[in-house]
Amino acid sequence: HVQLVESGGGSVKAGGSLRLSCAGSGYTYNTYCMAWFRQAPGKEREGVAAIDSDGSTFYAESVKGRFTVSGDNAGNSYLQMNNLKPEDTAMYYCAVEFGASISWFEHDFDNWGQGTQVTVS
């Protein structure tokens, strides 16, 4: 049973930093893609960053140069967010898919965490 638990969200001022963590358990796949999505009130969920087991990464244009995604072989992923802006305010979700190449499309992921709120003022 796959479980993903996000942590690290909070409220920060513009220009500040947060590091989100996603603790994964219940799986031992060698090939995977871990991704971070966010959903702001009234907006659709969007892919923010992703990393696969080969180390390939993806970043949305809006976060390039500010966010860094990483993962480890224990099934955890991290999203370092620097120079945060008010428009980064959203609920952030991690997701994982197995045996898959890198993706940042919601429909490619079956396993999701509950989300962690990020508020930038």
Side-chain angles (χ1 to χ4, degrees):
H1 175 62
V2 176
Q3 281 195 310
L4 301 173
V5 179
E6 301 96 335
S7 62
S11 296
V12 296
K13 294 190 181 299
S17 298
L18 285 172
R19 185 175 189 248
L20 305 184
S21 298
C22 177
S25 62
Y27 61 92
T28 54
Y29 290 82
N30 291 325
T31 304
Y32 55 82
C33 175
M34 294 185 286
W36 288 89
F37 293 79
R38 68 185 180 187
Q39 187 167 23
K43 294 188 177 181
E44 292 187 354
R45 190 152 52 181
E46 63 172 345
V48 174
I51 185 168
D52 69 10
S53 48
D54 291 333
S56 298
T57 57
F58 157 81
Y59 295 97
E61 283 297 323
S62 59
V63 307
K64 276 184 180 178
R66 300 187 298 122
F67 290 13
T68 303
V69 63
S70 60
D72 63 33
N73 291 332
N76 306 313
S77 64
Y78 308 93
L79 187 66
Q80 177 67 44
M81 305 186 296
N82 298 327
N83 190 22
L84 283 160
K85 303 177 180 181
E87 51 263 43
D88 295 318
T89 295
M91 183 73 78
Y92 283 71
Y93 301 88
C94 66
V96 66
E97 199 50 62
F98 309 108
S101 56
I102 194 167
S103 172
W104 51 91
F105 298 106
E106 187 177 357
H107 62 258
D108 286 333
F109 293 84
D110 291 327
N111 305 289
W112 294 84
Q114 294 296 313
T116 185
Q117 178 67 39
V118 171
T119 302
V120 186
S121 59

